[in-house]
Amino acid sequence: KDKTILIMYLSAHGNTENIAKKLMTSFPKEKMKLLNIMESNMTEIRDELEKAKVLLVGSPTVLGDVPYPMWEALAHIATVPKGIKIASAFGSFGWSGEAVPKILDRLKSLSLKVHEPGLKVNFTPSSEENKQTQDFANNILQLVNA
């Protein structure tokens, strides 16, 4: 079965979405799926998780935490067969940036192979952070092809 790189995200002000779209262009030879969880229902999210070989979870930090809709989406990982080979997290933050490490901890607790430390971008990605985004994607690709 042809598995996908699933980029599942939630964006408060468009910055995490911008990172997600940049990541979409970083895997030119891979089958990709970009999923904004706010435009999806839980059945669709679960179906896409089932097809994923790589899961990249994007979330902003809101009030020091991951917004509830993303926690709800992550709850579905436990219900799908373990086809996900590698998982990681990315996101934009304004002050503290706790969402990415909290998501990484959740992914590890689900016994997924997690690429750390993920990718954290302060507000809008700078040109240096765009390079970090590409490096993050390249590291994921190396792990997938290893």
Side-chain angles (χ1 to χ4, degrees), residues 5-96:
I5 293 178
L6 174 59
I7 300 173
M8 181 171 82
Y9 75 95
L10 168 69
S11 194
H13 302 289
N15 296 322
T16 300
E17 181 175 33
N18 288 342
I19 300 165
K21 288 180 175 174
K22 172 87 173 118
L23 285 170
M24 276 295 287
T25 66
S26 301
F27 301 96
K29 294 187 171 95
E30 297 289 329
K31 185 175 175 189
M32 305 288 298
K33 177 68 178 183
L34 184 65
L35 190 68
N36 179 343
I37 66 163
M38 297 309 289
E39 295 173 357
S40 310
N41 63 49
M42 288 300 149
T43 302
E44 181 184 3
I45 290 168
R46 190 191 178 289
D47 289 348
E48 293 303 332
L49 284 166
E50 203 165 281
K51 298 175 200 168
K53 68 177 175 185
V54 175
L55 173 62
L56 302 178
V57 180
S59 177
T61 298
V62 178
L63 301 174
D65 206 348
V66 178
Y68 174 77
M70 184 55 78
W71 284 130
E72 186 180 17
L74 291 172
H76 290 278
I77 294 171
T79 71
V80 298
K82 293 288 185 249
I84 299 170
K85 300 208 180 321
I86 183 103
S88 196
F90 65 92
S92 175
F93 68 97
W95 291 271
S96 49

Side-chain angles (χ1 to χ4, degrees), residues 48-143:
E48 293 303 332
L49 284 166
E50 203 165 281
K51 298 175 200 168
K53 68 177 175 185
V54 175
L55 173 62
L56 302 178
V57 180
S59 177
T61 298
V62 178
L63 301 174
D65 206 348
V66 178
Y68 174 77
M70 184 55 78
W71 284 130
E72 186 180 17
L74 291 172
H76 290 278
I77 294 171
T79 71
V80 298
K82 293 288 185 249
I84 299 170
K85 300 208 180 321
I86 183 103
S88 196
F90 65 92
S92 175
F93 68 97
W95 291 271
S96 49
E98 293 94 342
V100 167
K102 285 183 177 190
I103 291 170
L104 293 173
D105 285 346
R106 177 67 178 133
L107 296 171
K108 282 189 277 189
S109 77
L110 292 163
S111 301
L112 295 176
K113 183 177 176 187
V114 175
H115 174 267
E116 294 184 274
L119 176 68
K120 290 174 22 175
V121 172
N122 192 229
F123 292 111
T124 305
S126 64
S127 58
E128 173 58 29
E129 286 165 329
N130 281 331
K131 183 190 175 312
Q132 290 171 355
T133 300
Q134 186 60 54
D135 291 345
F136 174 73
N138 291 343
N139 291 337
I140 296 290
L141 208 49
Q142 285 177 350
L143 290 169

